[in-house]
Amino acid sequence: MILSHLELGSLGMDRGAHLLVKRALRNIPEGAQLQVTGTCRNLGLHLLTWCRGQGHHYDPNTNTITRGSADLGRWK
């Protein structure tokens, strides 16, 4: 279930898009999905590696991030 959509335009993860993605994920519950679109050439690859490091799941076929629980567990 996609709850939110984030349009990054030409902004890449190496230019600060990770901050926008992180903020958007903060506003949705664990297990919910965020659809991310943009025109940056390597966005899919960067999202895949960023999500893996942050404990989220990225589906390149639908450009959706499923929020994981790793960031919530760090504070417990």
Side-chain angles (χ1 to χ4, degrees):
M1 173 169 142
I2 298 174
L3 290 180
S4 298
H5 178 262
L6 178 62
E7 171 59 48
L8 297 174
S10 63
L11 189 64
M13 296 296 277
D14 58 337
R15 301 233 178 221
H18 67 286
L19 298 172
L20 297 175
V21 173
K22 195 173 204 175
R23 181 178 221 170
L25 286 171
R26 188 177 0 169
N27 295 324
I28 64 173
E30 177 185 343
Q33 293 183 326
L34 171 69
Q35 186 173 38
V36 180
T37 56
T39 58
C40 181
R41 188 173 72 167
N42 295 319
L43 182 61
L45 177 62
H46 290 170
L47 280 171
L48 179 65
T49 56
W50 183 85
C51 286
R52 186 175 295 154
Q54 297 293 312
H56 307 297
H57 178 265
Y58 176 70
D59 183 356
N61 297 320
T62 60
N63 292 324
T64 58
I65 299 172
T66 303
R67 182 176 181 192
S69 62
D71 58 338
L72 299 173
R74 290 180 193 155
W75 299 104
K76 293 182 180 180

